Amino acid sequence: MERIDIPETDTEPLASILNNLRLERTGEKTYRGVSLVQLTGRVYGGQVLGQATVAATDHVNKTLGLDPDVRLAHSITGAFLRPGDLRKPIDFRLEDLNDGRSFSTRNVVAHQGDEIIFSARVSFQLRQPGPSFGESQPENVTPPEDVPSSVDFFAAIDNDYGHIMSSTNALDLRHVDGMVYMKPSAERSPHQYLWLRTRSPMPENSSRTLQRAVLGYSADQFMLEPALRALGLSWMSPISSIATLDHSIWWHRNFDISDWILVDMECLSAQNGRALVQARFFQDQKHVATMMQEGMVRVRKESGHRQTVE
């Protein structure tokens, strides 16, 4: 089968991530991908979102006969409907919703067998001049060089969790307010600053679309952390059950994920076992993207956490 043309790198783990986004074209409107190993035993949500972005982009370019980055993805709104099975391939089916003079829209549905595990709408826009405004990058945030690296953190953990995270995570994440991987934050706060970049440079000929897909691929691993901070939880808390329900991204400006990006994150609400988080992404003082994610954050009754129904 023919694969989508995505540049290669010899450096792991970025090489595996890019290979994972290099979907097979199985038909005029169908694509197939596989999954990377995850500790949870389920398909990683960011992977499916990134693959859906790549599939929709390839279909728009093929349909309209465009070169890369002529119509850039400017938004995606996705719903995670079922946990995916790591052992099974994922089939993506595209539906044309619109091809106008400036905008294109595609529906993407991800299947495993007869089950739909993910559905999304991806929108594209022809690159055009226009008035510009963007929020200012937060000031006086501790620079990434002075913040501990997640790469070093996981490399120092001598168990399956540390080995898998250090060998498969292509991002260097630096939590200005401290990590919540193993234990809750000392302070319950709904806010978090985070620096991120890929551990190795993206290939020189990477398209703007690929940069956006990799950012979407990466975000699912940290988007719910402000909710964990606010609720006094961590990723390893035995009392919690955490999963993404839906995720939206708006890409505003071009960026290079090989260089540091500041993420300003806040949990806006947590209730009924769900939490909503907003994140704004900045690079070189420019507001480059905005994300919203709603996730399931359930706590057992015997945990001592206050339970409410609203």
Side-chain angles (χ1 to χ4, degrees), residues 15 62 119-120 152 159 180-181 198 230 235 246 258 289 299 304:
K62 289 286 185 181
S119 177
D152 297 334
N159 58 28
V180 290
Y181 293 121
T198 52
W235 287 110
D246 47 63
S258 301
V299 179

Side-chain angles (χ1 to χ4, degrees), residues 10-76:
D10 295 329
T11 308
E12 292 288 2
L14 182 59
S16 292
I17 302 301
L18 298 182
N19 186 57
N20 186 251
L21 294 173
R22 199 173 290 110
L23 304 177
E24 292 182 351
R25 299 186 184 99
T26 56
E28 183 180 349
K29 296 183 179 182
T30 58
Y31 298 80
R32 172 166 288 190
V34 295
S35 298
L36 295 179
V37 174
Q38 299 293 325
L39 277 172
T40 62
R42 300 179 298 183
V43 174
Y44 169 56
Q47 170 199 295
V48 185
L49 189 146
Q51 289 174 328
T53 303
V54 170
T57 300
D58 184 74
H59 187 261
V60 166
N61 290 342
K62 289 286 185 181
T63 301
L64 301 180
L66 300 176
D67 292 329
D69 295 345
V70 173
R71 289 199 181 200
L72 279 168
H74 70 83
S75 70
I76 181 171

Side-chain angles (χ1 to χ4, degrees), residues 17 26 35 46 55 58 64 68 83 102 106 122 126-127 151 153-154 160 169 173 208 211 239-240 251 261 287:
I17 302 301
T26 56
S35 298
D58 184 74
L64 301 180
S102 300
R106 296 293 185 270
V122 190
L126 180 70
R127 298 181 66 181
V151 177
F153 175 81
F154 290 121
D160 288 345
N169 192 352
L173 303 174
R208 299 296 185 185
Q211 295 271 359
I239 58 174
S240 60
W251 294 284
I261 294 174
H287 184 188

Side-chain angles (χ1 to χ4, degrees), residues 130-232:
S132 179
F133 169 80
E135 291 188 271
S136 300
Q137 179 172 318
E139 298 180 349
N140 302 319
V141 178
T142 305
E145 295 79 10
D146 297 333
V147 181
S149 167
S150 63
V151 177
D152 297 334
F153 175 81
F154 290 121
I157 300 177
D158 189 17
N159 58 28
D160 288 345
Y161 179 62
H163 295 161
I164 290 179
M165 289 298 292
S166 62
S167 63
T168 63
N169 192 352
L171 279 191
D172 184 352
L173 303 174
R174 304 201 175 188
H175 296 77
V176 174
D177 309 293
M179 304 175 189
V180 290
Y181 293 121
M182 306 297 290
K183 61 182 181 180
S185 172
E187 178 185 358
R188 286 201 181 189
S189 170
H191 188 265
Q192 170 175 290
Y193 284 125
L194 176 77
W195 292 99
L196 69 85
R197 69 177 179 184
T198 52
R199 290 166 59 176
S200 58
M202 293 283 287
E204 289 187 5
N205 54 341
S206 296
S207 67
R208 299 296 185 185
T209 296
L210 182 60
Q211 295 271 359
R212 296 177 183 210
V214 172
L215 183 63
Y217 191 114
S218 305
D220 201 38
Q221 64 183 285
F222 56 78
M223 277 295 292
L224 287 178
E225 287 184 344
L228 300 184
R229 291 180 184 278
L231 297 170

Side-chain angles (χ1 to χ4, degrees), residues 232-244:
L233 301 171
S234 75
W235 287 110
M236 299 299 289
S237 293
I239 58 174
S240 60
S241 178
I242 303 168
T244 305

